[in-house]
C-alpha cells in the first residue's frame, strides 16, 4: 500500500509546486524521480513526503453543504 500512498501524495502535491519553498521543492522533485524509477520509499522519505503533504492538504468542510441535501422527515412522510 505504500506505493499507492506515495503516488497519491505526489499527484496531490503536483498542484502546489509553485507554493513550495526551495527545500520542499527539491525533496518533491527527488521523490518524483524515485517514483519514476519504481522505488518504494524508505520510512524516512515516506515521513518527509507525508509531512509536505500534510502542510498543503486542506480537508473540505462538508457540513457547509448540508443545506443542499434534503433531510428525511422524522414523522415518516
Amino acid at each position: 500500500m505504500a506505493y499507492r500512498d506515495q503516488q497519491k501524495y505526489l499527484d496531490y502535491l503536483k498542484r502546489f509546486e509553485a507554493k513550495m519553498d526551495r527545500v520542499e521543492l527539491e525533496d518533491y522533485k527527488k521523490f518524483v524521480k524515485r517514483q519514476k524509477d519504481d522505488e518504494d520509499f524508505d520510512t524516512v522519505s515516506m515521513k518527509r513526503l507525508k509531512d509536505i503533504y500534510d502542510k498543503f492538504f486542506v480537508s473540505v468542510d462538508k457540513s457547509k453543504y448540508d443545506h443542499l441535501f434534503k433531510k428525511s422527515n422524522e414523522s415518516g412522510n
Side-chain angles (χ1 to χ4, degrees):
M1 178 120 155
Y3 186 82
R4 290 178 60 196
D5 288 339
Q6 69 192 38
Q7 183 65 43
K8 178 182 80 167
Y9 295 151
L10 291 172
D11 288 344
Y12 182 81
L13 288 172
K14 185 171 185 67
R15 296 181 269 169
F16 298 100
E17 284 184 75
K19 295 182 180 181
M20 293 180 190
D21 64 21
R22 185 181 56 81
V23 175
E24 292 169 342
L25 187 59
E26 288 175 2
D27 287 345
Y28 171 75
K29 288 183 179 183
K30 177 180 67 173
F31 293 144
V32 170
K33 286 181 184 178
R34 289 179 62 189
Q35 178 76 8
K36 286 181 182 178
D37 292 339
D38 290 329
E39 288 185 37
D40 282 336
F41 294 178
D42 58 0
T43 54
V44 175
S45 297
M46 196 64 187
K47 182 182 180 328
R48 177 68 179 137
L49 178 61
K50 179 83 168 105
D51 291 342
I52 296 171
Y53 174 81
D54 289 340
K55 179 180 177 182
F56 290 100
F57 179 73
V58 178
S59 62
V60 177
D61 180 18
K62 296 178 182 174
S63 66
K64 64 182 176 184
Y65 299 112
D66 286 346
H67 71 282
L68 297 174
F69 299 97
K70 182 178 179 181
K71 296 188 181 189
S72 63
N73 193 354
E74 292 183 12
S75 66
N77 291 339

